[in-house]
Amino acid sequence: MRHFDYQNGEMFAEDVPLSRIAGEVGTPVYVYSTATFTRHYRVFADSFLDTKALIAYSVKANSNIAVLATLAAQGAGADVVSGGELKRALTAGIPANKIVFSGVGKTRAEMGDALMADIRVFNVESLAELRALNEVALELGKNAPVAFRVNPDVTAGGHAKISTGKKENKFGIAWSRAEEAYAEAASLPGIQIVGVDVHIGSQISDLAPFEAAIIKVSGLIKRLRAAGHTISSFDIGGGLGIPYGNNTAVPPPPSEYAALVKRLTADLDVEMIFEPGRMIAGNSGVLLSEVLYVKRGEDRDFLIIDAAMNDLLRPALYDAYHDIEPVMQPDLDKIETYDVVGPICESGDTFTKGREMPKLESGDLIVLHSAGAYGAAQASQYNTRPLVPEVLVNGDEYAVIRSRPSVEDILKAESMPDWLTKHENVTDI
Ligand code: LLP
C-alpha cells in the first residue's frame, strides 16, 4: 500500500495530513513514512531469510539518525563511506559488527575510528589504501578485516554519473590486478582477508548486470580460495532500482533479485552482504513544497515553487524524473502543462519541463515523490537557502528529525577576519 495517498480529498503521510506539517513546520520540507521504511527493509530482508546475509543499509541514501534508528530496530546494518556516517550509524544504535566501510578515499583518521569501533569489514579499493590501513592497524594494535572491492568491468546504472562498475570508473581494484592485491594483503601483518566486494552502480533496472557481475566475482572467489585465501563474505553492494513514475523503467522486485543471487551463489558457502540504499529509502519520502507563483512565459507556463535544486538536486544533476502531485486531491478535468522550477538563479534549477499536471495556483501545496533517497542527503544551502528540514511520520504522529536552521545560524558559522572588521559598515555577526 502507498503511505503517501489521498484520504478525504487531501494527501496524507500515513495518518497525518501533509497540510498540517506544512502549516506547522513550513515548506519546503522532506516528509518520511516509518511504515514505508520498515516495509521496504522487511521486503528485502525477508527475501533472504533462508540465506546467511547481512543487510547493510547504505547510509548515504538517507543518513538522518532517526531513519537509521528506524532501520536498526528492524535489524539493519550499515554501509558507511565516511567517519561522519560511521558516527551516525553508531549513534543510531547500529552494532559495529554490522557496519561495513566503503569508499575510494578513506583517510587514516577515519580508518582509525573504524578500527577502534571494531567494524565488520573495510571494503578496500586500492593497494595504496591497503598499505595505509595496514600501518594504521599496526599503530593501534589492531587487525583490519578486509575485502577488496573489485571492478568487474560491467555496464550498469541508470545514469553515467551513477555507473561505477566499468574499468574507466574510479572504483575498485582493476580486475586484472585483483589476485595480486590479495597476495599482497596476505603478506601484511595488520590485515586479515575476509571477503570480496563489488558494487556496479545505482538505479539498476534489470537483473542482467547483477548476473554478469556475480558470475565473474564467483569465479574470482574460487581462484582466491585455490590460492589459499579465506573468503567468507561476498558483498554485492547496492544498486537495485525503484519505480520513479510513468516514464521510467520499472526494476524487478527484490524477490526476483534475491532468487537470482541465491541461484548464483548457492555453491559458494559465503555470507552475503548487501548494501541497498535507494530501494529502502527512495519511496519512503516526499519533498513537500508550496507553489509561489504561476508565471505565463512566451511559449510556456512556469510553476515556481519554494523548493529548489539545493533541496533536491537529482533532476538537475541526473535529469531524474520525480512524480509531482498536488496535496489537495485535484480536479482531473483541469489539466495544464508546466515547467516546474525553483527560485535559484540558474536555469538548471528545473524539476521538470512540459509536464501535464492538474491546474495549480499560488499557495497550493505539492509533493515531489520518491524523494526519500539522495534528497535531503544531497541538500545544500546554495543561495543561502537554509538547509531543508526533515520530518518523520509514524502513524498519526510526526516529529521534526532535522530542524530548519535560521539565516542567523548560517551566518554564525562564518567569521570576519580582523582586517575586515576595521571597515565601516561591517556589522558584527
Ligand atoms: N554501496 C556503494 C559502495 C555505493 O556507492 C552505493 C551508492 C550504494 C551501496 C547504494 O546504492 P543504491 O542501492 O542506493 O543504488 N545520488 C545518486 C545515487 C548515487 C549512488 C552512489 N552510491 C542518485 O540520486 O541517483
Side-chain angles (χ1 to χ4, degrees):
M1 82 166 269
R2 273 172 39 121
H3 291 107
F4 296 98
D5 217 342
Y6 294 109
Q7 297 179 29
N8 308 321
E10 66 169 310
M11 194 178 293
F12 278 56
E14 300 189 22
D15 298 323
V16 179
L18 288 175
S19 58
R20 193 177 130 208
I21 295 173
E24 293 171 4
V25 184
T27 55
V29 57
Y30 278 96
V31 182
Y32 307 135
S33 152
T34 300
T36 316
F37 273 116
T38 308
R39 192 191 63 213
H40 289 172
Y41 179 80
R42 288 261 58 94
V43 166
F44 196 92
D46 290 353
S47 351
F48 290 103
L49 280 182
D50 52 356
T51 315
K52 256 200 305 174
L54 168 65
I55 320 287
Y57 165 68
S58 193
V59 169
K60 64 173 80 67
N62 185 320
S63 51
N64 190 291
I65 54 173
V67 168
L68 300 183
T70 302
L71 296 171
Q74 296 297 318
D79 158 48
V80 303
V81 292
S82 68
E85 286 192 356
L86 172 65
K87 183 96 184 203
R88 284 179 178 278
L90 294 170
T91 304
I94 297 180
N97 67 3
K98 290 187 181 179
I99 298 178
V100 307
F101 196 165
S102 304
V104 72
K106 304 173 194 78
T107 65
R108 285 170 185 252
E110 290 172 326
M111 291 171 180
D113 289 347
L115 282 166
M116 293 316 287
D118 285 325
I119 64 160
R120 164 72 65 100
V121 60
F122 290 84
N123 290 330
V124 171
E125 301 214 19
S126 65
L127 284 179
E129 181 196 339
L130 178 79
R131 291 169 195 147
L133 180 59
N134 177 56
E135 285 171 19
V136 177
L138 291 176
E139 274 162 29
L140 296 173
K142 293 275 185 184
N143 211 255
V146 160
F148 280 107
R149 172 169 175 182
V150 292
N151 183 322
D153 196 20
V154 162
T155 306
H159 187 276
K161 288 192 176 118
I162 56 174
S163 155
T164 53
K166 289 289 288 173
K167 63 173 188 266
E168 62 267 31
N169 300 131
K170 68 179 176 180
F171 298 100
I173 300 275
W175 188 252
S176 60
R177 297 180 193 277
E179 277 143 282
E180 34 179 295
Y182 277 87
E184 174 159 349
S187 74
L188 298 178
I191 300 291
Q192 188 196 355
I193 296 169
V194 298
V196 179
D197 168 47
V198 67
H199 170 80
I200 52 177
S202 195
Q203 187 53 18
I204 299 172
S205 56
D206 70 302
L207 293 177
F210 288 114
E211 178 160 15
I214 294 171
I215 290 173
K216 270 188 110 163
V217 177
S218 300
L220 175 66
I221 290 176
K222 288 174 187 156
R223 292 197 296 281
L224 291 171
R225 283 177 170 164
H229 302 295
T230 304
I231 304 295
S232 49
S233 63
F234 179 3
D235 183 337
I236 63 166
L240 187 60
I242 60 165
Y244 271 96
N246 59 0
N247 65 359
T248 55
V250 178
S255 56
E256 282 178 28
Y257 169 82
L260 173 88
V261 172
K262 286 189 242 184
R263 177 167 62 76
L264 295 176
T265 59
D267 65 338
L268 282 182
D269 187 27
V270 281
E271 171 166 26
M272 296 303 300
I273 301 179
F274 302 95
E275 301 170 358
R278 187 191 314 267
M279 191 269 139
I280 288 172
N283 279 316
S284 302
V286 297
L287 176 58
L288 176 59
S289 175
E290 186 182 306
V291 176
L292 294 175
Y293 307 107
V294 182
K295 168 156 117 173
R296 308 277 166 218
E298 205 60 70
D299 63 351
R300 64 192 64 214
D301 291 342
F302 296 98
L303 199 67
I304 303 168
I305 65 174
D306 67 358
M309 65 189 282
N310 71 300
D311 305 308
L312 177 64
L313 190 55
R314 302 195 68 258
L317 198 55
Y318 319 110
D319 302 314
Y321 177 95
H322 287 264
D323 261 346
I324 302 176
E325 282 187 311
V327 165
M328 299 312 290
Q329 195 154 18
D331 177 353
L332 293 175
D333 292 340
K334 294 193 189 137
I335 298 295
E336 301 269 311
T337 303
Y338 298 114
D339 282 13
V340 181
V341 301
I344 282 188
C345 307
E346 300 196 18
S347 298
D349 184 21
T350 296
F351 292 109
T352 186
K353 285 188 174 167
R355 178 92 55 99
E356 287 198 349
M357 289 170 50
K359 186 173 187 329
L360 287 159
E361 280 166 15
S362 232
D364 286 343
L365 294 170
I366 60 166
V367 294
L368 290 103
H369 282 286
S370 314
Y374 308 110
Q378 290 188 254
S380 76
Q381 305 202 119
Y382 186 37
N383 278 208
T384 309
R385 294 169 47 87
L387 200 57
V388 57
E390 297 169 276
V391 158
L392 182 62
V393 172
N394 183 29
D396 61 2
E397 51 182 359
Y398 79 85
V400 176
I401 57 171
R402 179 169 84 190
S403 58
R404 191 191 312 275
S406 64
V407 172
E408 287 66 36
D409 292 332
I410 299 176
L411 294 189
K412 257 189 241 153
E414 301 176 19
S415 50
M416 205 61 84
D418 286 349
W419 66 88
L420 288 175
T421 49
K422 297 190 191 90
H423 281 270
E424 295 175 62
N425 300 334
V426 172
T427 356
D428 273 346
I429 304 166

